[in-house]
Amino acid sequence: MKKELIVNVALPYATYLLLHHYFGVANVPALAAGAVFPIVSIIVTFLRERRLQPIGLIVLVATSASIAGSFLLDSPTLLLAKGSLITGTVGLVFGLSLLWKRPLVYYIATADPDDRREGEALWPTTPRYRQMMRTITIAWTVALIAEALLRLALIPLLPIEIFLPISETMWIALFVPMTAWSWRYGQRTMSEIKPA
């Protein structure tokens, strides 16, 4: 978490402030320079692990597209909207996964082989388990899309210097309580399904 805060929040924000306020660089190139840090972090992780995480791919594409669009249109708004594009896309993927045989939350929750064995046994036989996975998926879909829309709404209302740190920390304000709620709800439901 500390590394993500430094790479995704502190370094882009410091770069923007330094370039824009101390060297007089225009908003678009100053924001684009700050966006390089998350891109480099994703590339380094890929080179080290030899695989690209789905979220990393979304961040890479969204950031690259927002940089290109901002330079083409000479508008910082697209760079500022990058976070909304990322969380909104992830929210849509969660929502669309409800049409899959099993929703995305199921695969996340059963990443461990023991959990996957238990999930494979419960899924066909336990409606309450299926309902739990779908409920958590719906909750994440709504939360992610709401966060994306709120972030978009803040762009015209706040100066860039205030918007940047708020925008880049909004995912924490979403992720921490949503993860805690998902875990508590999952634990409570599993204790009902499999009483001790």
Side-chain angles (χ1 to χ4, degrees):
M1 179 76 84
K2 183 178 176 184
K3 178 192 163 212
E4 285 80 9
L5 285 173
I6 291 169
V7 170
N8 296 314
V9 180
L11 289 175
Y13 186 58
T15 301
Y16 169 77
L17 290 178
L18 182 69
L19 292 176
H20 185 66
H21 289 290
Y22 293 102
F23 292 104
V25 175
N27 280 326
V28 170
L31 288 168
V36 167
F37 294 103
I39 290 174
V40 169
S41 175
I42 291 166
I43 292 169
V44 167
T45 302
F46 168 72
L47 293 173
R48 192 178 312 134
E49 298 177 4
R50 293 290 180 211
R51 66 188 181 104
L52 188 60
Q53 300 290 338
I55 296 293
L57 181 61
I58 291 169
V59 170
L60 192 61
V61 169
T63 303
S64 301
S66 63
I67 289 172
S70 292
F71 276 109
L72 284 173
L73 301 174
D74 192 30
S75 167
T77 302
L78 287 175
L79 273 164
L80 297 174
K82 164 184 63 84
S84 291
L85 183 59
I86 293 165
T87 54
T89 301
V90 174
L92 287 174
V93 170
F94 269 88
L96 289 172
S97 78
L98 291 165
L99 303 174
W100 302 349
K101 185 178 175 184
R102 294 182 172 116
L104 185 56
V105 166
Y106 170 83
Y107 297 102
I108 294 169
T110 61
D112 178 76
D114 291 336
D115 293 334
R116 180 60 57 90
R117 277 191 291 276
E118 180 179 51
E120 290 295 326
L122 288 171
W123 186 267
T125 61
T126 313
R128 183 79 173 99
Y129 180 77
R130 294 192 299 270
Q131 178 191 2
M132 173 190 71
M133 291 297 178
R134 290 188 178 114
T135 299
I136 294 173
T137 301
I138 290 168
W140 276 94
T141 300
V142 170
L144 288 163
I145 291 174
E147 190 266 0
L149 293 173
L150 175 60
R151 203 186 298 217
L152 282 176
L154 291 175
I155 292 173
L157 301 176
L158 299 173
I160 292 174
E161 294 81 0
I162 295 172
F163 176 80
L164 276 178
I166 290 172
S167 172
E168 296 302 329
T169 54
M170 281 179 74
W171 66 271
I172 298 169
L174 170 80
F175 185 79
V176 171
M178 280 301 297
T179 301
W181 171 81
S182 300
W183 187 83
R184 281 196 310 270
Y185 174 68
Q187 290 294 108
R188 189 173 63 244
T189 304
M190 289 302 288
S191 68
E192 293 169 6
I193 292 171
K194 306 184 313 178

